[in-house]
Amino acid sequence: MGNRVSLEDEMVNLRIVSKQMQRSAKKCEKNEKASMDKLKKAIQKGNHEGARIYGQDAIREKNQALNHLRMASRIDACSSRIETAVRMGQVTDGMQGVVRGMDKGLASMNIDKISTLMDKFEQQFEDLDVKTQYMEGTMNATTATSTPAEQVDSLIGQVADANNLELGEAFSEAGPVGKKAPSVKESEQAKPVADDLEARLANLKN
């Protein structure tokens, strides 16, 4: 019985961490909105450097929010699998092995450490609905530390268009942003990666 209780305790911990991840995502979304407001003001003032910085901040916060939401979803899926295993009496030695030292990993709120923990748990389940490879690919796509210049330029152009703002000479001198509003192709540059991941997910489900 002791083993079952420890796994059940960890399921409670997993749910707590999932909620924390969701709260972190909401905080990142608020930060993104604040950065977008600053970006708009920077464009109005013709402050190119400020606009680029706030554009990078907004994109980073958005990616971080998605990152935390995906991890929350992954934790919930794993917790549900563990709950089923406990209920059906299918707890394996492997699952028990993962539980050891799990508290520290969860308490750290470190995405990489928690991701590694989820990897270990997911390896215990052969029939996961969403394969680890897909989740890792999405996580890696959203944790890139650098923000592509084209993405920032595109965001600045979109904010300017949405608010009927003219991009002044400072933007023209600095590069592609001020020459013209971003075309549909530019603003959709990130789509192929997302589409590819969605297609892979659909194949996994089928």
Side-chain angles (χ1 to χ4, degrees):
M1 281 298 283
N3 285 345
R4 278 189 57 177
V5 170
S6 66
L7 254 185
E8 286 163 354
D9 286 344
E10 292 310 333
M11 282 194 308
V12 172
N13 289 335
L14 284 169
R15 290 193 188 101
I16 290 170
V17 173
S18 173
K19 284 190 171 65
Q20 287 174 325
M21 287 284 168
Q22 289 169 15
R23 279 196 293 271
S24 293
K26 284 181 181 169
K27 187 177 177 183
C28 289
E29 285 168 0
K30 281 185 182 176
N31 291 343
E32 180 199 359
K33 186 178 182 300
S35 293
M36 291 289 279
D37 290 340
K38 289 176 183 175
L39 169 55
K40 178 183 167 185
K41 287 174 185 172
I43 294 173
Q44 287 171 329
K45 292 176 182 175
N47 178 1
H48 173 262
E49 279 305 311
R52 289 194 65 78
I53 290 168
Y54 297 132
Q56 286 177 343
D57 288 347
I59 291 167
R60 187 178 60 249
E61 292 291 349
K62 181 177 183 177
N63 287 342
Q64 195 71 347
L66 289 170
N67 205 2
H68 282 95
L69 284 174
R70 284 192 183 99
M71 182 53 77
S73 175
R74 190 178 179 190
I75 289 170
D76 288 341
C78 190
S79 178
S80 176
R81 294 280 178 176
I82 295 169
E83 188 175 6
T84 300
V86 170
R87 194 169 61 243
M88 307 269 300
Q90 294 174 341
V91 175
T92 64
D93 290 340
M95 286 182 217
Q96 296 299 342
V98 177
V99 169
R100 296 186 196 102
M102 190 172 169
D103 287 344
K104 289 180 183 176
L106 290 177
S108 71
M109 279 299 285
N110 178 306
I111 290 273
D112 291 332
K113 287 183 180 177
I114 295 173
S115 183
T116 301
L117 273 172
M118 294 304 101
D119 287 345
K120 289 178 180 175
F121 262 122
E122 288 166 0
Q123 283 166 11
Q124 308 301 318
F125 305 105
E126 292 180 356
D127 60 339
L128 266 183
D129 294 330
V130 181
K131 302 296 185 193
T132 303
Q133 186 180 3
Y134 168 78
M135 294 306 299
E136 284 177 347
T138 340
M139 296 293 289
N140 291 338
T142 56
T143 48
T145 51
S146 60
T147 309
E150 296 85 359
Q151 205 176 350
V152 177
D153 291 343
S154 180
L155 179 64
I156 291 173
Q158 285 170 27
V159 171
D161 284 350
N163 295 281
N164 293 321
L165 298 172
E166 290 291 331
L167 294 176
E169 288 180 15
F171 293 89
S172 299
E173 291 165 6
V177 175
K179 292 180 182 174
K180 60 182 176 57
S183 67
V184 175
K185 286 181 183 175
E186 282 176 335
S187 61
E188 289 183 353
Q189 276 179 348
K191 281 192 177 179
V193 177
D195 291 345
D196 180 51
L197 287 170
E198 290 300 327
R200 285 167 56 200
L201 177 59
N203 287 337
L204 288 172
K205 285 184 176 177
N206 291 336

